[in-house]
Amino acid sequence: MNTVDHFLDKFFNPESIAMVGATNNPFKMNFQLTRNLVRLGFTGRIFPINPHSEEILGLKAYPALTDLHEPVDLVVSAVPALKTMGVMEQCARKGVKNVVIISGGFSEGGDEGQELHKNIGAFARRNGIRVLGPNTLSPVNTSIRLAVSFNVIKKMQRGGLSFAFQSGFYDPKMNWIFSNLAVNKMMDMGNKVDINEVDALEYFHKDPETEVIAMHIESLHGNARDFFNLLKTVSRRKPVIILKTGRTAAGSKAAASHTGALAGENDGVFDGVLRQAGAIRAQNLEEFFELAKAFQMLKPPRGPRLAIVTLSGGEGVMATDSCEAHGLSFARLDETTHGKLKRIFPKWEIPLNPFDAGICMEFHLSDIGGFFDTMLAIPEDNNVDCTVMQMPPTLLEAAGDGPEGGDDMAKAWNAQVVKSLIKMSGVGKPLILWNTSMGAEEHDMAVRLESNSIPVFPSSERAIKAVAALNRYRTFCQGG
Amino acid sequence: MKLIEQAVREGRSSLSEYESKQLLSHFGIPVTREVLIHDIKELGAAAREIGYPLVLKGCSPDVRHKSEKGLIRMDIRNDREAERAFEEIVRTMNGQAGSILIQEMIRGQRELVVGLIRDPQFGPCVMFGLGGIFTEILKDVSFRMAPLEKKDALEMMKEIKGRRILEAVRGLEPVDLDALVDILISVGRIGLEHDAIKEIDLNPVIISGTRPIVVDALVILN
């Protein structure tokens, strides 16, 4: 097992977990907490704690933490807020150093909750216990098949992308995240009674398995200047994508009632500080996951010069507009590239960038492999740093004689397209696709492309925005 | 700095324009040449030292919005205009403590703003943007946390929507960006070195030819 010299390592790489509030009742939220660990095959030991059951999901259960005479790396407490202090006291008696508090009703729960929040924090500090939450659903570590979640997690896709959230908003999206992104670790900081964004960033910085960091922040709890300095250091080694919410006055009020924080800061300052530190700011939720995807799959381009390949002239115009708006430039393709591409031109002369592959494809449907091989000239051109391309259609459904014949042809066509695109990305420059209509077949093709590190975005604008972020990150790393 | 300590001791909430500019000069920030006088008898000598055309301003730590209060007279061409302006300002100030600032008249079509705020989380942060009345109307500004590197200052300038104002536009020369960078870095330094300062507002910073010059300045204390 990979170990990192940081106190958070016991949260991400525990060898044993005690689940306080575990239950056999499938109609209780807590049921899934233990069931996920069992089903996913968590590599460590699991100790369910419940005074009324002797066995939970085939595991020996213990009435209380103090009845368990084995060492425990991590306690996950899912009992109601008012009972949490009791769990903390047992942890102190047992010498447990790491606790996750799932339950809500603390700093966001009125005067009484705030009092409870303060008391838990003070108790933890006095007893040298580190606390994640309250009000959290985490941690997740795909390397050891660990996931603390209320959702039925079907499968995990392991990769280099690690998340830190300040909310459990991602929990209902968990399966979507796992089927679309190659995740390494996830942590929800919740109400941050102890562990905060500075700790999370420090850990992900040190963690060799984390290659890209994505953070959702409503408010800063750690020292903001420390956070900035750390962010600047981390950004030089690993891209950090940040979704900062609570940017309007009303939004920051909502954030305050949500996590009990004071998010009343100046968004302009936050924005400037993130740029200064080289972090990548996502403006909204879609962008957050899209940027995470782009940075996880691609290395930044060597420069800002784009080649755009479209299947419709109209989409080409939209892509051109986006390119201008996001500070990227158009590659001027070489004469030799023109010579190569001319082979697939229609009967008339067409511009090379944006390149209308749609009109060319019409005349080369019978040799789609050869057609794509010719198009390799685009990414291979020395003046091109990155290729943004509309995803080819899955249009041969209806061709062929019977339904089976059509299916076979469609399969062959799709397989050829995926193969050709992998060849194009093999040139070693980012290849990014967009596709504006995501039907079932298209989705299938997109999944196959993305599993080969060719990201597919829902529009040319969003693809180009991602390229612009990659390009800005390159400039930052080069000190420009 | 003595003048900050003294102002704090006196329980004042800000420095006068004259004091603010002395502080800025100490940090190498280019400000208007100016003389502070207390009596109309000093006017002639001050006018000769600075040279016409002049600007006369009522100067007092108690007065913040000088133009709204009618305490500024611009483009004063001769002794007679200067005397009349002096008397009008004294009358408008209506016995408030203060003096009259005799200032060189800076001409330029481009006005910028440079500021310092103390963010509750990030501490001293520098602001840059379009100046004059546009600061309030367009709010076209960018921020960076102090201390600033040269790269940060240059990026701040590129971030505002009105960034082309710094280029060679409509027959104007491009702005001396290095001079502007120095101002931004120095304002950040002031914020880091003087906890007693809550805010700095340099507005307008007028581009005279290619050079930025601070024409009005306000330092607010904690």
Side-chain angles (χ1 to χ4, degrees):
Chain A
M1 195 194 334
N2 159 59
T3 53
V4 180
D5 178 24
H6 190 276
F7 79 89
L8 273 178
D9 203 51
K10 285 287 177 227
F11 285 82
F12 286 112
N13 285 307
E15 283 173 33
S16 53
I17 292 180
M19 189 66 77
V20 184
T23 171
N24 268 319
N25 183 350
F27 295 104
K28 286 194 170 164
M29 297 287 276
N30 285 1
F31 180 73
Q32 295 303 341
L33 294 173
T34 313
R35 188 153 177 254
N36 275 321
L37 293 181
V38 172
R39 203 196 20 238
L40 290 167
F42 166 56
T43 57
R45 302 180 69 187
I46 310 164
F47 304 113
I49 310 289
N50 183 324
H52 311 295
S53 307
E54 289 187 355
E55 197 187 284
I56 287 172
L57 290 157
L59 300 163
K60 179 178 165 36
Y62 299 82
L65 262 180
T66 38
D67 296 317
L68 170 64
H69 300 296
E70 311 255 5
V72 171
D73 279 347
L74 184 65
V75 165
V76 175
S77 171
V79 298
L82 286 170
K83 290 188 174 171
T84 302
M85 196 46 130
V87 175
M88 291 296 290
E89 280 160 3
Q90 287 190 34
C91 285
R93 276 210 294 284
K94 195 173 158 45
V96 171
K97 294 291 169 211
N98 310 294
V99 179
V100 176
I101 302 176
I102 306 271
S103 345
F106 292 88
S107 55
E108 83 287 13
D111 289 347
E112 203 184 341
Q114 279 169 20
E115 189 65 26
L116 220 48
H117 179 96
K118 258 193 259 163
N119 293 342
I120 297 266
F123 184 85
R125 273 188 295 281
R126 266 203 313 280
N127 291 280
I129 299 174
R130 301 311 302 251
V131 179
L132 181 60
N135 210 354
T136 173
L137 277 166
S138 63
V140 169
N141 181 1
T142 57
S143 303
I144 58 163
R145 296 191 287 284
L146 161 69
V148 173
S149 170
F150 284 148
N151 274 277
V152 181
I153 296 183
K154 293 175 186 139
K155 57 168 188 180
M156 288 175 161
Q157 196 191 159
R158 189 175 162 185
L161 173 61
S162 290
F163 285 102
F165 297 97
Q166 192 178 346
S167 156
F169 77 79
Y170 65 92
D171 202 51
K173 292 174 83 92
M174 205 75 130
N175 284 303
W176 177 87
I177 292 174
F178 282 127
S179 49
N180 284 279
L181 299 164
V183 176
N184 194 269
K185 296 183 175 70
M186 289 168 98
M187 127 179 209
D188 170 7
M189 298 171 286
N191 294 16
K192 299 184 185 174
V193 70
D194 172 29
I195 294 166
N196 63 39
E197 63 287 336
V198 180
D199 304 310
L201 194 54
E202 259 174 21
Y203 183 82
F204 288 154
H205 181 213
K206 286 188 171 182
D207 177 24
E209 293 190 333
T210 295
E211 290 157 7
V212 176
I213 301 165
M215 292 186 106
H216 156 255
I217 295 175
E218 283 177 356
S219 57
L220 293 175
H221 285 227
N223 181 301
R225 288 183 87 86
D226 288 351
F227 179 72
F228 166 80
N229 288 322
L230 180 62
L231 191 58
K232 199 167 173 182
T233 309
V234 180
S235 293
R236 290 190 201 287
R237 288 186 49 214
K238 304 178 182 183
V240 186
I241 296 141
I242 294 190
L243 173 66
K244 169 69 176 68
T245 55
R247 44 202 301 181
T248 60
S252 83
K253 238 185 184 168
S257 66
H258 180 199
T259 51
L262 272 168
E265 69 264 347
N266 178 339
D267 192 66
V269 169
F270 206 94
D271 202 70
V273 167
L274 289 189
R275 286 169 196 265
Q276 196 173 359
I280 300 118
R281 185 169 188 180
Q283 299 296 336
N284 53 50
L285 196 58
E286 290 78 19
E287 232 180 85
F288 181 61
F289 287 111
E290 283 173 7
L291 289 172
K293 179 165 86 174
F295 276 87
Q296 176 219 312
M297 293 185 185
L298 303 169
K299 293 270 166 282
R302 284 177 297 191
R305 301 166 306 172
L306 293 194
I308 291 174
V309 182
T310 74
L311 298 166
S312 122
E315 291 255 16
V317 176
M318 291 180 225
T320 308
D321 283 344
S322 303
C323 186
E324 287 275 298
H326 293 100
L328 296 164
S329 63
F330 264 100
R332 282 175 64 95
L333 277 69
D334 227 294
E335 265 308 304
T336 44
T337 307
H338 179 261
K340 288 178 193 163
L341 289 176
K342 196 150 175 38
R343 195 176 81 73
I344 55 169
F345 274 16
K347 291 193 171 50
W348 56 95
E349 193 68 19
I350 58 166
L352 293 184
N353 196 13
F355 183 68
D356 189 346
I359 192 74
C360 299
M361 203 186 269
E362 282 181 33
F363 303 99
H364 295 85
L365 285 177
S366 54
D367 176 23
I368 201 68
F371 174 80
F372 274 105
D373 282 348
T374 307
M375 280 216 302
L376 275 176
I378 295 175
E380 280 171 351
D381 191 305
N382 280 332
N383 302 309
V384 172
D385 297 315
C386 173
T387 307
V388 182
M389 180 175 177
Q390 192 171 3
M391 193 174 88
T394 50
L395 51 64
L396 289 191
E397 289 317 289
D401 297 322
E404 283 100 77
D407 271 358
D408 284 350
M409 271 189 80
K411 270 184 199 149
W413 163 276
N414 290 352
Q416 181 59 54
V417 168
V418 171
K419 211 171 113 191
S420 296
L421 289 169
I422 292 170
K423 211 164 163 185
M424 265 178 109
S425 83
V427 170
K429 297 173 185 175
L431 172 66
I432 299 175
L433 303 190
W434 83 86
N435 179 46
T436 46
S437 67
M438 202 56 99
E441 291 89 20
E442 282 122 329
H443 183 257
D444 182 55
M445 187 185 270
V447 167
R448 284 155 75 185
L449 289 166
E450 292 198 336
S451 64
N452 285 287
S453 291
I454 303 172
V456 183
F457 291 91
S459 71
S460 61
E461 186 185 12
R462 280 151 78 169
I464 284 167
K465 259 185 160 171
V467 179
L470 284 161
N471 187 53
R472 268 201 310 279
Y473 182 63
R474 172 192 55 87
T475 326
F476 170 79
C477 290
Q478 292 170 347
Chain B
M1 272 204 76
K2 262 196 211 139
L3 74 111
I4 299 175
E5 286 163 22
Q6 193 186 335
V8 170
R9 241 192 339 269
E10 288 170 10
R12 280 157 50 188
S13 63
S14 62
L15 299 183
S16 72
E17 178 180 345
Y18 185 69
E19 292 166 328
S20 299
K21 284 183 177 163
Q22 282 186 312
L23 171 72
L24 297 172
S25 294
H26 180 78
F27 279 83
I29 296 173
V31 300
T32 43
R33 286 186 301 115
E34 55 197 35
V35 175
L36 191 66
I37 63 170
H38 310 278
D39 194 300
I40 198 158
K41 285 182 210 141
E42 301 167 87
L43 184 59
R48 271 189 299 286
E49 186 186 333
I50 304 297
Y52 290 108
L54 290 175
V55 175
L56 269 67
K57 291 178 178 172
C59 185
S60 154
D62 308 324
V63 181
R64 286 197 186 166
H65 302 283
K66 290 183 286 277
S67 53
E68 283 162 39
K69 290 178 180 137
L71 294 176
I72 302 181
R73 295 289 182 282
M74 308 236 288
D75 203 14
I76 304 298
R77 308 273 178 142
N78 51 48
D79 291 357
R80 199 163 47 87
E81 283 180 21
E83 280 163 28
R84 197 167 63 217
F86 187 99
E87 280 162 1
E88 278 170 11
I89 293 172
V90 169
R91 218 168 20 249
T92 315
M93 284 173 81
N94 199 15
Q96 278 183 83
S99 321
I100 308 292
L101 203 50
I102 313 298
Q103 198 169 80
E104 68 174 317
M105 170 93 186
I106 300 292
R107 288 181 197 280
Q109 294 184 52
R110 293 174 285 187
E111 296 192 349
L112 304 171
V113 61
V114 175
L116 179 95
I117 60 156
R118 215 166 270 281
D119 183 80
Q121 301 191 97
F122 292 104
C125 292
V126 178
M127 183 187 89
F128 170 78
L130 292 186
I133 60 166
F134 294 113
T135 309
E136 213 174 304
I137 298 169
L138 299 176
K139 295 189 174 65
D140 189 9
V141 293
S142 56
F143 293 91
R144 285 293 183 276
M145 192 179 101
L148 266 65
E149 292 172 27
K150 181 174 182 179
K151 164 180 172 263
D152 301 322
L154 288 170
E155 277 176 5
M156 288 177 84
M157 298 175 201
K158 280 191 212 137
E159 260 166 47
I160 64 163
K161 292 189 188 74
R163 57 189 163 270
R164 285 201 55 217
I165 202 170
L166 303 175
E167 298 171 8
V169 280
R170 300 188 69 109
L172 297 168
E173 287 178 87
V175 174
D176 180 346
L177 294 188
D178 286 336
L180 210 45
V181 164
D182 290 342
I183 295 178
L184 292 169
I185 292 176
S186 299
V187 167
R189 262 185 61 205
I190 300 176
L192 284 172
E193 290 175 21
H194 295 285
D195 289 340
I197 294 176
K198 188 176 161 214
E199 261 177 69
I200 298 178
D201 192 20
L202 311 185
N203 192 8
V205 176
I206 295 184
I207 306 300
S208 167
T210 63
R211 288 180 53 240
I213 297 171
V214 176
V215 170
D216 199 354
L218 174 64
V219 173
I220 298 175
L221 303 170
N222 273 320

